[in-house]
Amino acid sequence: MASSLLQSSSSSLFAANLPTLGLVDHSRARISLLPTVKCDMSESSNLVNGKPIIPVLNERTLPKFMESARSEKTVRNSNRLKLFSGTANPALSQEIARYMGLELGKISIKRFADGEIYVQLQESVRGCNVYLIQPTCPPANENLMELKIMIDACRRASAKNITAVIPYFGYARADRKTQGRESIAAKLVANLITKAGADRVLACDLHSGQSMGYFDIPVDHVHCQPVILDYLASKTISSSDLVVVSPDVGGVARARAFAKKLSDAPLAIVDKRRHGHNVAEVMNLIGDVKGKVAVMVDDMIDTAGTIAKGAALLHEEGAREVYACCTHAVFSPPAIERLSGGLFQEVIITNTIPVAEKNYFPQLTILTVANLLGETIWRIHDDSSVSSIFQ
């Protein structure tokens, strides 16, 4: 079995399709060689000093998939560019600023005794292009309201352009009416952000593409797949042993695009029936996973009900190992118990949403999207192409 997992660089995962992005330390890659019913975690762990592995880039290191376009213009004009961070994910904001070689703007954000939010900019933004970094992660309503007040403060301070950088866009799941008398909250939130005064939105891996159409202002949609793909490329898994799995029918397009970049790996689909919100029942598996390394791909993990039941089904169908990959780690209870129960060899997420230390578990790996967002902000500021990053 070891010979089936390990191979030469000439046939390694991605060798023909995608260059390595240089986002991770390859020495941290691990492969379990024991055939088990559940993923074997006895020999290795992602925990270092009690914390999960967090592969990060050096301060100004550029992912290789951006190098050619960046070399065309090596001098960046930071005049009239201001970065401000909300309180939702300050660590990510600091990483973005570090990559861009800038300092975060000074801003005062306070809460009154009754919970009202107070925002005051501590420096002038008159005539500046302002970028406000604030995911609308839990507590979603608090962080969304904070973002709108930050936008309003910049608008009233005569900022030239205001871009809302939203690594995780909450309420995106309420993007259509599936039953009578339902709200389309994604459209409502888009209207609120627009009316607050935002001129542009930069978002990562929206739950569905139609959410971009809910905004009446330009939306730059950044895909974080290259970051996860690069990390998987650091693992010496034979492409013939790999299968990409969509945890539901709605995610087939996302999984297919992911599989195409993984040496055009085969695709499997978990067919499920949902009886209510955050409740899922796995019914059937479309595709072959017997003896293979299954990589489950989704945009977010909330309660982990769908992906955990899907992983259990994959093991029943003979999958050797199961990896879970997602951009947004919402991790609502009881997600941690489900993800750390031994079903997954590794759970790979990004830092669009901060993960509390109490939610760390041995199989967890956190990848940073700071450089990807930082480069995107530069391109927006320079009026350069954003889509070319992913080509």
Side-chain angles (χ1 to χ4, degrees), residues 13-14 18-24 26 63-65 230 233-234:
L13 192 63
F14 282 106
L18 190 70
T20 300
L21 308 185
L23 291 172
V24 296
H26 291 194
K64 290 185 178 179
F65 77 115
D230 178 63
S234 71

Side-chain angles (χ1 to χ4, degrees), residues 254-292:
R254 182 185 303 107
R256 184 184 293 115
F258 198 89
K260 186 176 181 180
K261 294 180 181 179
L262 280 178
S263 300
D264 204 15
L267 182 67
I269 304 168
V270 175
D271 175 37
K272 75 174 191 303
R273 298 292 184 268
R274 187 182 295 276
H275 299 295
H277 296 297
N278 295 329
V279 178
E281 180 182 353
V282 172
M283 301 297 291
N284 197 15
L285 177 68
I286 304 170
D288 180 26
V289 298
K290 188 173 182 180
K292 293 184 177 293

Side-chain angles (χ1 to χ4, degrees), residues 8 18 20 33 65 83 94 116 146 154 157-158 175 180 196 200 292 308 324 355 372 388:
S8 65
L18 190 70
T20 300
L33 304 180
F65 77 115
L83 295 177
Q94 286 285 358
E116 292 181 6
E146 183 179 304
C154 292
S158 302
D175 57 359
R200 178 183 294 271
K292 293 184 177 293
V355 180
L372 182 63
S388 63

Side-chain angles (χ1 to χ4, degrees), residues 40 46 82 132 283 299:
D40 178 40
N46 277 15
K82 298 281 188 179
L132 305 176
M283 301 297 291
D299 64 317

Side-chain angles (χ1 to χ4, degrees), residues 38 45 74 86 116 131 159 170 184 260 291 375 378:
K38 290 187 177 183
S45 171
T74 57
E116 292 181 6
Y131 296 83
I184 304 179
K260 186 176 181 180
E375 181 66 19
W378 270 130

Side-chain angles (χ1 to χ4, degrees), residues 182-194:
E182 281 187 328
S183 164
I184 304 179
K187 172 60 177 172
L188 172 63
V189 172
N191 287 343
L192 292 172
I193 292 173
T194 303

Side-chain angles (χ1 to χ4, degrees), residues 43-183:
E43 295 187 356
S44 59
S45 171
N46 277 15
L47 287 183
V48 177
N49 296 325
K51 295 185 178 182
I53 291 176
I54 307 180
V56 296
L57 294 170
N58 296 328
E59 290 189 1
R60 300 297 302 280
T61 300
L62 186 69
K64 290 185 178 179
F65 77 115
M66 296 188 227
E67 282 182 352
S68 59
R70 178 68 175 267
S71 63
E72 298 171 2
K73 186 175 182 179
T74 57
V75 179
R76 297 291 195 179
N77 180 14
S78 61
N79 292 337
R80 299 294 184 179
L81 190 156
K82 298 281 188 179
L83 295 177
F84 292 95
S85 174
T87 61
N89 196 347
L92 175 60
S93 302
Q94 286 285 358
E95 289 183 33
I96 293 173
R98 186 181 304 118
Y99 169 79
M100 298 180 69
L102 302 174
E103 295 290 335
L104 288 175
K106 297 178 182 179
I107 185 171
S108 174
I109 303 176
K110 301 178 182 179
R111 299 290 195 277
F112 288 111
D114 61 354
E116 292 181 6
I117 301 170
Y118 170 82
V119 172
Q120 182 187 27
L121 304 177
Q122 303 285 293
E123 57 187 77
S124 174
V125 296
R126 185 178 298 273
C128 295
N129 295 322
V130 177
Y131 296 83
L132 305 176
I133 306 169
Q134 174 81 338
T136 56
C137 52
N141 297 334
E142 282 279 313
N143 290 328
L144 175 60
M145 192 65 192
E146 183 179 304
L147 173 62
K148 291 187 293 182
I149 296 176
M150 290 169 64
I151 293 171
D152 182 71
C154 292
R155 180 176 63 87
R156 296 178 185 279
S158 302
K160 182 179 180 181
N161 287 295
I162 304 169
T163 299
V165 181
I166 312 175
Y168 170 68
F169 180 64
Y171 287 101
R173 285 173 285 184
D175 57 359
R176 65 193 183 280
K177 291 182 66 174
T178 58
Q179 303 178 58
R181 300 175 296 281
E182 281 187 328
S183 164

Side-chain angles (χ1 to χ4, degrees), residues 3-7 11 13 235-242:
S3 61
S4 67
L5 287 173
L6 302 177
Q7 57 179 4
S11 60
L13 192 63
K235 296 181 175 295
T236 51
I237 307 173
S238 172
S239 57
S240 61
D241 289 339
L242 191 70

